[in-house]
Amino acid sequence: MGLARYLVGAFLLLLPGLSTAQRVVTVQKGPLYRTEGSHVTLWCKVSGYKGPAVQNFQWSIYLPSAPEREVQIVSTVDPSFPYAIYTQRVRSRGIYVERVQGDAVLLHITELQDRDAGEYECHTPNTDERYFGSYSAKTNLVVIADTLSASMAPQLLTRAEGEAVELACEVSKSTAQHTHLSVGWYRLQEAGESHAEEVLTLSKDFVLRPGPSYAQRFLVGDVRLNKVGNTTYKLSIEGVKPSDQGQLYCEAAEWIEDPDETWKDISHKQTGRTSLVVMNQGNLSVDIAATERSLSEGDTLQLNCVLGAQKSSSRHFQVLWLLNGMEVAKVDPHGVLIWEDEYEERAKLGQLQAFKHSNAVYVLTIYEVGLKDNGTYHCSASEMKTPGDFHSIQTNMSSGIQVHVMPIESRMRLSVSTSTPQVVVGDALILLCKVQGATSPVSVQWWHLPPQHPGPRVPVATMERDGTLRLGSTYQDSRTQGSLRLEKASSGTFTLVIPNTLDEDDGGRYVCQVTEWSRGQRWTKAGETAVTVSSMGLGLHATLRSRIATVRYGQSFELICQANASYTLGEVPVSVRWLFQPSLPISHVHELVRVSPSGAVAWGSAQPHFQRKAQLTKAATSFRLHIHNAVAADMGTYQCEVEVWRRNTLSLGQPAATTRSNAVGIKVLLPESKLRVATTEHSVEAAGGADTAIECRIVSAHDSSQFAVTWYLLPPPPADETPLQIVRANYSSILEYGTEFSSPAQKSRFLSQRVSSDVFWLRILSVNPSDQGRYYCVVEEWLWLVDGWYKLGEGASGRTTLELKLPEHELQLEKTNHSISARKGEEVTLHCLLQSAHLPATHLSATWYREESGHNRSLLSLHRDGAIEYPRESLAGRLQLRRPTAGDLSLTLSSVEEGDAGLYHCQVQRWKLQSEGKDWALQALACSGYTQLTTIPAESTVLSRICSSPPLLNFILYLPLLLILLLVLAVFCWYFKFRRSKKGNITGDQLMELQGAEGVEKT
């Protein structure tokens, strides 16, 4: 606090040159780096003002997550100034403003949190007659982790006067910023003393500074501080004195240089304490020391009895421990421990321990002290001439040390409340659990009991004694309910903040359960508070309307979406989606545009043309979509969808409530079609092999129209009346042939041509008998309307009958009908035999057909030049026209399939070259009789049955192997059995020979 005031005063002295005519607000220069959990101050001053000498100040923050949004913290004039997130901390003085003078203040944050990082703004309300100058200033505060650590194992050291002592302290940090360390050693005269005496300190500037009592010894080198390695700082004291006795500890501090070039300590850490006992050099002195004199039930008490005597290592001592004058334990000169009866059982349970640490130090330890261990402790030492003597040379008793054991009683009181008893979905819940009277560390658990859902309570969050926070499984996803926080706002107040309520189930009762822990004991108390969460979907609905439902092409129209709810919609974030379903036979609902609560507009990709001509407006809870220059693509069904979002989180995820309006249909009237196609019927006769043309004439249409013409053929009876599409030329003159006319030969014979602006021809080259039938065209009128081509109408022409002028001669083909059968996979030949003689200077052409659905489908064509064409590429590998003789045009079908069954016939033409030698003339033609092909399933054989059954095939394959394996195994068994029996016979014979030899010797 003093340093902060000094900085403010120094700053005031640096500003003499500023004009008093212009208001200037100055704030501490940033960025400032401070550690989490530390006490932070920021100064702010105003100068050049007019009006009262006492100026007011207001502090705000701009968080990194929302750098444009001001969050108010604290004000010197307005108690209601803080936002809800800071209200509790301001009330409990976790955050407050200290007035240094009338025009200068300090902002205090007593326990810095990670969420306190951001850009701080100091604002001074105007007190001048007019606005002139600056009224606010900003600085950045960066919260970094506290990585400083200092450690030293607590111990009890005993040294004779004049001996040396060394203590090591481990200090480390891992701060990313450039910082310095200072390390100091301090001594407490007694355990309960608050004022510590400085021994020796290494400052942040790497300068050694001794305490007043150690200055002379430091100068002569008896007190030293050395750094060993990267993290170890070693204190060495040569020639210890009785004045050095006490408790020693190490304290480390981390320093950082601020932008104003001053150094600021941002973290402090202390180690555990080491007790140092210094023994006098008299005949026999006895001292007693305790690590702690005032303890609570369950603590550990350690007493040290230190004997001071010259050449103590060669002398023999017996030590007695006494409590309130009664013997507790005895350690004889041999080091044997003897307990009094009432303490022996506790020693067996491990609650007591006494031992001889050295010939001069004896230790008594009581684990988990109780009230019966209260009192005055002494230790008595007797020197024996020899270890076995019963008479002592001298006896001395230490002074008494009073140990006070306090009973553990919980005086904890608990109160649970909320500052948000009634909220709407999306609002934050702030729950307070205030603990009073707790003297030991506490752990806090929050539970939730949802409304109207009886069952087990749901864990929300737990804060352990060490401050570790653990969230319940339901609350671990920060994207749904925000970053839930459980904070210790002050010494006994725990605040639970649920930033974002999801639905009504977040209401109900919240239970705070606090457990106080102390040396193996614990006390638990619980309290609860109730909150109500109302749904944002309550009464939410949307209505869509339009003044006109039918518009002409190029006209504008407007849609109005009115949203309403049982609460004030203007107080919550609202977004709207405009939906559109085109008037097409198969269409889906597309998102035209979405307007977010912040006003951001996101256009959908499915209907991009709306973005160029749609206008969006909003007035309160009424949303309007105005569409200019209506076109056919705008025709369809429109809807609006209103989404209501939670107040505190315009976040990723789902809105709190959604409603979709009624559907409104908009119809766009296109220009009327003026198309008329000539419907007069004609008849055209053409000789075989000659070219001909079918005409399609347009009588009237729009001047700027384009036409798509599709040509159809109705085959002559007995075929059905289903027309066959020949070719279609769209309005861009791109040709698309029908299935029956898609072969290269057909494409080269049937051509669609535009002779003039209103006349189209279908040209047929080299007419053959299969071209006979009735032809007509279907014309579509297309018009370009601003955004694309639109079909206004269509019309069909009259029929034109194409008849083939038959030749004078007829070929003699076999007319007999046949019926044949073939198995699947076999080869079959369909006969087509010319019975008349082949004339010289003539060529034959032939086509094989199969009847499908009343139509004769071409399978194979033999042209007069000998080329073979396969209209169906899938059959090319299985069809062959072998022609063993010129008049044999039989078709061979290999690998018969079930789908090959049907009725087949062939058509043969004879052609002769005209006298000019250029054109070919059809002389004769004929059709063969019909052949009915029936397919039979393939015959099942033994081999096929075996192959079709995997289990049977495996059995047949593996059975011989199994039999061979068994045979080999039997041979091996027989062989080993034979060898064993033969070896037994040989051994028996040898035994008989040995017995016979012995008999001879005996004889």
Side-chain angles (χ1 to χ4, degrees), residues 917-942:
K918 295 182 180 180
D919 298 327
W920 291 85
L922 179 64
Q923 278 197 330
L925 63 87
C927 289
S928 70
Y930 289 90
T931 300
Q932 178 67 49
L933 174 61
T934 305
T935 59
I936 304 172
E939 185 177 359
S940 176
T941 64
V942 174

Side-chain angles (χ1 to χ4, degrees), residues 576-597:
V576 64
R577 295 172 63 224
W578 289 95
L579 308 174
F580 172 64
Q581 183 175 12
S583 294
L584 298 175
I586 300 177
S587 63
H588 302 282
V589 176
H590 303 296
E591 180 181 293
L592 289 184
V593 64
R594 183 181 184 275
V595 183
S596 69

